[in-house]
Amino acid sequence: MDKILFVCLGNICRSPMAETVMKKIVETEKENFEIDSCGLISYHQGEMPDSRMISAAMKSGYRLSHRARKITDNDFSYYDLIIGMDKSNVEKLRQLAGKNRQKIRLVSEFFDGSTGYDCVPDPYYGSTEDFFTVIKLLENACGNLYKYLKNNEL
Ligand code: 4NP
């Protein structure tokens, strides 16, 4: 089984969306993957995703049910792949990871050339449109990530 953890700052916008997009791909393909998400801060611990993310997700055919949690030391040993949403997330993850640094990836490594983005930008202080951009980018990344996982042993 491959175990994948998506990470953003608050775990209420981007990473729960990433988790949900990836779970939908994996369910459709009937694969046995373990997928979760978490944040780098505990500020939103226990909360449902941001209402703007829930709304954009629903309009795009996804239902978000994750409760926010902060990353733990155990996550770095347990998960096979730890995917940060932007460069700042990845820098922080690398500081925390110790000997598991090689498990950390930036989500844009899985974008194809068409997106024009180098990360999934933080939508928290953004517009409604920015939440739909998050979904579009994550659908691109997760589709390619799934192909990568099918073709490569982690
Ligand atoms: P996320 O968005 O990292 O995609 O969940 C944010 C959520 C909360 C905050 C920042 C970004 N915050 O500062 O509380």
Side-chain angles (χ1 to χ4, degrees):
M1 187 199 283
D2 288 334
K3 301 192 279 298
I4 301 151
L5 182 65
F6 293 100
V7 185
C8 62
L9 183 60
N11 194 213
I12 54 168
C13 300
R14 294 166 292 173
S15 62
M17 192 68 237
E19 173 194 334
T20 306
V21 169
M22 194 65 194
K23 279 182 173 166
K24 193 168 181 179
I25 292 172
V26 163
E27 268 170 32
T28 309
E29 300 287 338
K30 298 196 176 11
E31 292 285 346
N32 190 19
F33 289 8
E34 185 167 333
I35 300 155
D36 195 12
S37 68
C38 68
L40 290 161
I41 57 173
S42 58
Y43 188 72
H44 297 282
Q45 184 87 24
E47 291 178 19
M48 286 289 288
D50 187 287
S51 58
R52 298 165 296 171
M53 193 74 258
I54 291 176
S55 171
M58 276 183 66
K59 288 178 181 146
S60 306
Y62 298 98
R63 202 175 69 81
L64 299 180
S65 59
H66 181 80
R67 294 275 175 181
R69 71 175 184 88
K70 188 183 175 190
I71 197 160
T72 65
D73 285 345
N74 187 50
D75 288 323
F76 290 101
S77 47
Y78 184 74
Y79 286 93
D80 301 308
L81 200 55
I82 300 171
I83 302 177
M85 295 293 121
D86 61 33
K87 284 190 181 123
S88 152
N89 299 159
V90 165
E91 275 168 24
K92 185 71 189 169
L93 286 167
R94 290 206 171 114
Q95 286 168 20
L96 298 171
K99 64 179 168 43
N100 292 303
R101 275 173 66 101
Q102 81 289 349
K103 296 180 176 181
I104 295 163
R105 300 277 194 286
L106 180 59
V107 67
S108 53
E109 290 176 40
F110 300 100
F111 290 168
D112 56 41
S114 69
T115 68
Y117 282 78
D118 63 1
C119 69
V120 177
D122 185 350
Y124 193 64
Y125 295 105
S127 66
T128 301
E129 189 60 29
D130 295 329
F131 285 84
F132 285 100
T133 299
V134 166
I135 297 172
K136 184 188 74 180
L137 292 172
L138 289 171
E139 286 176 335
N140 186 298
C142 290
N144 293 320
L145 172 60
Y146 179 70
K147 286 183 211 154
Y148 169 83
L149 294 170
K150 289 273 276 186
N151 295 325
N152 295 272
E153 288 295 317
L154 277 177

